[in-house]
Amino acid sequence: MRPMRLDMAGFTVFRDDTTVDFTDADFFALIGPTGSGKSTVLDAICFALYGTVPRWGGTRGLANALAPSATEARVRLVFESGGARYVATRVVRRDGRGNVKTANAGLQLMPAGFDVTKLDTGLSPDDLGEVVAGTPAEMEQAVLDAVGLPYEQFTSCVVLPQGQFADFLHAKPATRQQILVNLLGLGVYEDVQKRATARATAAEAKLEAVDQLLAGLADVDDAALAEADSRVERMTVLAAEVSAAMPELAAARLTAREASAALAALDDELAVLAAVRAPDGVAEVARAVSAARADAEAATSAVSLAEEREEKLRGELTGAGDESALRLLLRAYDDRDRLTDEAGTVRAAVAAADAEHATAVAALAAARADAERAEAELEAAFRAHEEAKATDLAVSLRAHLHAGAPCPVCEQPVPAVPAVPVDSAVAAATAAGKAARAATKAAQALVQERDAAARDLERVLVQARARQEQLDARLAELAGQLAGAAEPAVLRRELAEHARLRRALDEAASAVRAGREAARRARGVVDAAEERLRAAWRGFDTTRDGLGRFGPPGTDRDDVAAAWATLTGWAADEAQRRRTDRDVRAGAVAEAEAVAAEVQRRIAGIFAAADVPVGDDPVHAATVAVERAEADRRRLRERREQAGTLREQRAGHEREAQVARALAGHLRANNFERWLLAEALDLLVDGASGILRELSGGQYELVHDKGEFFVVDHHDAGLRRGVRTLSGGETFQASLALALALSEQLAGMSTTAASLESIVLDEGFGTLDAATLDTVAATLENLAARGDRMVGVVTHVSALAERIPVRFEVRKDARSARIERTGR
């Protein structure tokens, strides 16, 4: 298997679409920092082919295929194997419940010369070639046929992942032997041996089956054929005798059937007549109707009496006067007394509100007078303040005046300069003005307060007077309403009489309803009794109609019990008359059946003499006996012919079984496959031992004994020890030697599709010292230089990567890993 192109999207660290083109990369390296996704490229190759990856631990790790937060992962691998080119595709998806499943898997055989670059032009899957597998279940066998290796051996010989590099070195002999069988195609000899054994077994089974058939045909001699001819003749005579006796038997049976039918008809008539019986309680039905009707009439009379009493009470209640008017008059008396008391309270409130309002008006007038005096005093204080300021201004000019000099204001000579006062009058005027302003504000505030109080009292007075007017008007109205009315005590007595009459009326109405309900029930009882009477007549009519063929007597429709008595008496007489005729008819039936039985015994004797069962139909039984005798003779002749044919077949099966068994024995006896495996293992160990000597500087050689691997340590006096005792670096050298030997020595020996056209190493180069690393690199270069297979290396060791011509550098950022090709 040789990879050509790998496409990934949403696969582990490769979230974005990523393509790796291996077309001309015969010797390449996957390089990049640890964790960047180098090994994921090998994972994608394994996943595309086998649906799993060594690091995942089987199909249960399928969710590992999805990139973080991705819902779909797609991997497509184009590869060559055995000269054919294939494309393998796998798609996994996460559903709405978080489950990850394979959504698509397929393998297609691409047309010859198909250009893989056309995959970038959006070709549909139908354009990629013949579909070899279309489901995950079909993929397993299809990949095995195409690659020639199952998954475990693919990861031991072609793509060697981290941690499994030494699997072939440490494998058990049986596992290692199976790998070599697959690689060399030695299973074909085992298949030949198995097919030869199966063919011999099948031929022997056929031979045994033929012998069993021949054993069952031992009775087909001449004597058996003569006996078959004689039986055909006897059965023919039997059929003729039965045919002659059958008309007599048919006539006797017809006579017996007619007699039996006449007897059965008479028995049916007896059964019908015997079943005529009057129903239980038919005499009480008419009496129940009469009693129910009397009860209904009594209930109707009771209803009439109750209705008359109800009507009388209703008239008395109507004559007692209007109850509503009486109640209105009583309510008017109550309203008058209540409103009279309220009117007195309102008049007192009006008088009090009037007095308070007068007091408030007087206080308001006084406050307004005080406010006017305060405003006058404020005006006087303002004028005094202005005069004091003028005086102070004049005094300020005196300091610049001189007697006899002109005045700067009036420009008149100043005869004498007045003396300057000690104190200024402005301060006293200002203080007096402030006091007057405060008194004015206080007086105005008092006026506003008393004005508001006066208005509130005026509103209260207006409302009280309005309520007094309403009460006076209502009292006048009530006085007019009660003019000429009876006293309250009289009104209450009349209302009590109304209540008594209404209670009596309610009781009478209840009695009427109860009487009507009783009358309705009585009518129901009448209806039920009459329906039972009608049912009794219907039953009688049904029974009488059923006897119409016998001519039943007429009936009186007034008394159902008498009608039933007449009918049952007539039926008893008719039944007695028919019982007399029955004995005669029964004798005729017995006589006819005896004649038919005698004829039937004679026919049975004919069958008994021929040793043939008679059955229900003698004619049919005779015909069947003839047909069976002829069929037995025919079958006997066919079996004689079959025995001859089987003897010829037996000779052919015996020869085929001997040849196939001899071939299977030769292959098993010569141990041909074991010899080929031993030769292949010798070649493998010789090639690996030479590579290991070169890698280890001549220290180690590789040998095998009974399928187990050992190393010979020339630095320790040729000590031979098991490969599991090697150190990590030594194990790597031995494993690499085996892997290279598998690729170099055994690829040319394979006889089937399993061909090691590539090898990719993903293991431990960082553990090697410089000298060993140089030897490994040179070995890989020599292997790649031969040009017959691809060699790939996954490493982060720069010294090794620099010696490899084609490098795929893997980088990873926060979103996705990317691959860039460098070198040639």
Side-chain angles (χ1 to χ4, degrees):
M1 194 284 295
R2 180 186 181 100
M4 302 292 294
R5 172 181 171 135
L6 177 65
D7 296 294
M8 300 172 287
F11 184 74
T12 66
V13 297
F14 293 97
R15 178 191 295 272
D16 297 335
D17 290 345
T18 304
T19 296
V20 185
D21 188 354
F22 297 105
T23 304
D24 57 350
D26 294 330
F27 188 22
F28 68 89
L30 285 165
I31 62 175
T34 300
S36 61
K38 302 185 297 299
S39 298
T40 303
V41 176
L42 306 188
D43 292 345
I45 294 174
C46 291
F47 180 72
L49 293 173
Y50 299 99
T52 187
V53 171
R55 298 192 284 176
W56 293 355
T59 55
R60 288 178 294 178
L62 193 62
N64 296 321
L66 290 170
S69 74
T71 58
E72 179 181 273
R74 291 179 286 107
V75 178
R76 180 173 61 190
L77 174 67
V78 180
F79 66 94
E80 288 184 349
S81 182
R85 184 172 294 179
Y86 299 86
V87 56
T89 306
R90 286 189 190 265
V91 179
V92 296
R93 292 194 183 98
R94 179 184 286 111
D95 60 21
R97 293 180 295 181
N99 299 322
V100 179
K101 297 180 180 179
T102 300
N104 182 32
L107 181 69
Q108 291 171 269
L109 177 62
M110 304 178 75
F114 185 89
D115 187 0
V116 296
T117 59
K118 291 183 178 180
L119 294 174
D120 297 324
T121 61
L123 293 177
S124 67
D126 296 336
D127 299 326
L128 299 181
E130 176 189 351
V131 176
V132 180
T135 65
E138 295 174 352
M139 280 287 284
E140 181 176 357
Q141 185 60 45
V143 170
L144 180 60
D145 294 340
V147 178
L149 294 172
Y151 166 74
E152 293 79 4
Q153 297 170 15
F154 181 83
T155 55
S156 297
C157 302
V158 179
V159 174
L160 285 74
Q162 292 183 7
Q164 299 183 19
F165 189 62
D167 281 359
F168 188 81
L169 177 67
H170 294 155
K172 294 180 179 180
T175 302
R176 192 182 298 117
Q177 177 176 317
Q178 187 59 45
I179 294 174
L180 292 176
V181 166
N182 288 337
L183 287 174
L184 298 176
L186 300 183
V188 66
Y189 302 109
E190 183 179 357
D191 291 343
V192 170
Q193 190 270 335
K194 288 180 179 178
R195 290 184 182 182
T197 301
R199 183 171 294 180
T201 302
E204 291 169 351
K206 292 178 181 178
L207 183 62
E208 182 179 356
V210 168
D211 287 340
Q212 291 177 354
L213 292 174
L214 285 174
L217 297 174
D219 58 346
V220 293
D221 53 6
D222 295 337
L225 183 60
E227 173 60 24
D229 292 337
S230 174
R231 184 166 181 77
V232 170
E233 293 176 0
R234 292 196 305 273
M235 294 304 104
T236 302
V237 172
L238 168 68
E241 292 176 349
V242 170
S243 297
M246 285 306 296
E248 183 180 357
L249 177 62
R253 285 179 174 176
L254 177 60
T255 302
R257 284 196 299 273
E258 291 174 348
S260 296
L263 179 61
L266 184 60
D267 287 339
D268 289 342
E269 291 178 357
L270 283 171
V272 171
L273 292 169
V276 177
R277 292 185 181 86
D280 295 337
V282 69
E284 287 77 16
V285 172
R287 291 196 294 273
V289 171
S290 299
R293 287 173 179 171
D295 292 341
E297 291 175 359
T300 302
S301 298
V303 170
S304 298
L305 293 175
E307 288 175 346
E308 290 176 1
R309 185 173 184 275
E310 181 187 22
E311 189 63 27
K312 179 182 177 183
L313 289 171
R314 197 179 304 279
E316 292 177 0
L317 183 61
T318 302
D322 188 356
E323 184 180 6
S324 299
L326 295 175
R327 292 189 182 278
L328 288 174
L329 289 174
L330 275 178
R331 188 177 297 114
Y333 275 116
D334 294 339
D335 290 345
R336 185 192 66 180
D337 295 340
R338 179 177 54 78
L339 293 177
T340 299
D341 293 340
E342 185 179 354
T345 302
V346 171
R347 288 189 188 95
V350 169
D354 197 4
E356 290 181 1
H357 181 262
T359 302
V361 170
L364 177 60
R368 286 176 176 169
D370 291 342
E372 290 176 357
R373 285 194 299 273
E375 288 178 356
E377 291 176 357
L378 178 61
E379 181 65 25
F382 180 73
R383 288 194 301 272
H385 182 266
E386 291 297 322
E387 292 176 356
K389 286 198 297 182
T391 301
D392 278 359
L393 181 60
V395 170
S396 64
L397 294 176
R398 290 179 186 178
H400 305 287
L401 295 178
H402 300 284
C407 177
V409 176
C410 62
E411 295 184 352
Q412 295 296 324
V414 178
V417 178
V420 177
V422 178
D423 294 325
S424 172
V426 173
T430 301
K434 290 181 178 179
R437 185 176 290 105
T440 300
K441 289 182 178 179
Q444 290 175 347
L446 183 60
V447 168
Q448 293 175 353
E449 178 182 351
R450 291 182 176 178
D451 182 53
R455 284 195 298 273
D456 291 341
L457 289 173
E458 185 177 5
R459 283 194 297 271
V460 172
L461 181 59
V462 169
Q463 293 173 354
R465 286 174 178 171
R467 180 57 180 161
Q468 182 179 351
E469 292 174 357
Q470 292 175 355
L471 291 173
D472 292 341
R474 178 60 179 156
L475 286 171
E477 181 183 349
L478 290 173
Q481 182 179 351
L482 294 173
E487 293 299 322
V490 176
L491 295 175
R492 291 188 180 91
R493 284 195 297 273
E494 291 178 357
L495 285 173
E497 179 63 14
H498 267 279
R500 186 189 67 77
L501 291 173
R502 188 171 299 284
R503 287 194 298 274
L505 180 61
D506 291 340
E507 292 173 357
S510 297
V512 169
R513 289 193 296 272
R516 288 173 179 170
E517 178 61 24
R520 185 189 63 76
R521 290 197 296 271
R523 285 194 299 273
V525 172
V526 171
D527 293 340
E530 290 177 346
E531 176 58 29
R532 286 197 296 275
L533 180 59
R534 287 191 293 272
W537 278 114
R538 285 195 297 272
F540 174 81
D541 291 340
T542 300
T543 302
R544 189 179 183 282
D545 293 343
L547 300 172
R549 56 181 170 162
F550 304 122
T555 57
D556 183 5
R557 302 295 292 184
D558 294 334
D559 189 350
V560 67
W564 270 109
T566 300
L567 186 63
T568 54
W570 169 84
D573 294 341
E574 290 292 319
Q576 183 60 37
R577 185 172 57 81
R578 283 167 173 77
R579 289 191 189 96
T580 303
D581 295 339
R582 189 183 186 284
D583 295 338
V584 176
R585 294 191 183 185
V589 170
E591 183 179 355
E593 288 178 348
V595 172
E598 176 59 30
V599 176
Q600 191 167 1
R601 280 194 296 272
R602 192 163 66 249
I603 294 174
I606 296 173
F607 276 93
D611 193 19
V612 175
V614 61
D616 296 332
D617 186 352
V619 175
H620 177 70
T623 302
V624 169
V626 173
E627 292 176 352
R628 286 180 178 174
E630 292 176 347
D632 289 343
R633 183 174 62 181
R634 213 169 29 250
R635 191 161 46 251
L636 184 61
R637 290 171 177 171
E638 292 172 354
R639 294 176 68 198
R640 285 169 63 89
E641 295 176 0
Q642 182 184 6
T645 303
L646 289 174
R647 291 187 186 93
E648 295 177 359
Q649 293 178 356
R650 185 185 188 285
H653 294 326
E654 187 174 17
R655 287 192 301 273
E656 182 178 359
Q658 290 174 352
V659 172
R661 187 63 67 186
L663 175 60
H666 290 321
L667 289 176
R668 187 167 52 247
N670 292 336
N671 296 315
F672 188 62
E673 180 179 311
R674 187 178 304 169
W675 175 78
L676 288 177
L677 282 174
E679 289 295 314
L681 190 59
D682 288 342
L683 287 175
L684 173 63
V685 172
D686 288 344
S689 183
I691 296 173
L692 181 59
R693 281 196 303 272
E694 186 177 359
L695 291 175
S696 62
Q699 180 177 359
Y700 294 116
E701 286 185 358
L702 189 66
V703 297
H704 75 96
D705 184 8
K706 298 180 181 179
E708 293 289 352
F709 286 162
F710 299 90
V711 292
V712 177
D713 189 350
H714 293 290
H715 290 184
D716 193 7
L719 177 65
R720 176 174 169 174
R721 54 193 176 97
V723 294
R724 294 186 179 274
T725 65
L726 298 175
S727 65
E730 293 167 342
T731 298
F732 175 79
Q733 291 178 344
S735 299
L736 178 60
L738 275 173
L740 296 178
L742 277 172
S743 177
E744 184 174 358
Q745 300 291 335
L746 298 183
M749 297 178 61
S750 178
T751 61
T752 62
S755 57
L756 300 179
E757 298 171 314
S758 59
I759 182 170
V760 184
L761 308 177
D762 183 8
E763 180 75 20
F765 295 105
T767 63
L768 304 178
D769 55 46
T772 304
L773 183 64
D774 182 70
T775 302
V776 169
T779 303
L780 294 175
E781 288 171 348
N782 292 334
L783 181 62
R786 298 178 56 175
D788 56 353
R789 62 189 51 79
M790 172 188 288
V791 178
V793 174
V794 178
T795 184
H796 58 271
V797 179
S798 57
L800 177 61
E802 290 173 356
R803 297 181 59 170
I804 297 174
V806 177
R807 294 181 292 277
F808 295 98
E809 185 172 358
V810 184
R811 295 188 180 90
K812 180 182 177 184
D813 56 24
R815 173 175 173 78
S816 175
R818 293 175 176 79
I819 299 178
E820 180 181 358
R821 178 169 173 166
T822 60
R824 296 195 300 270

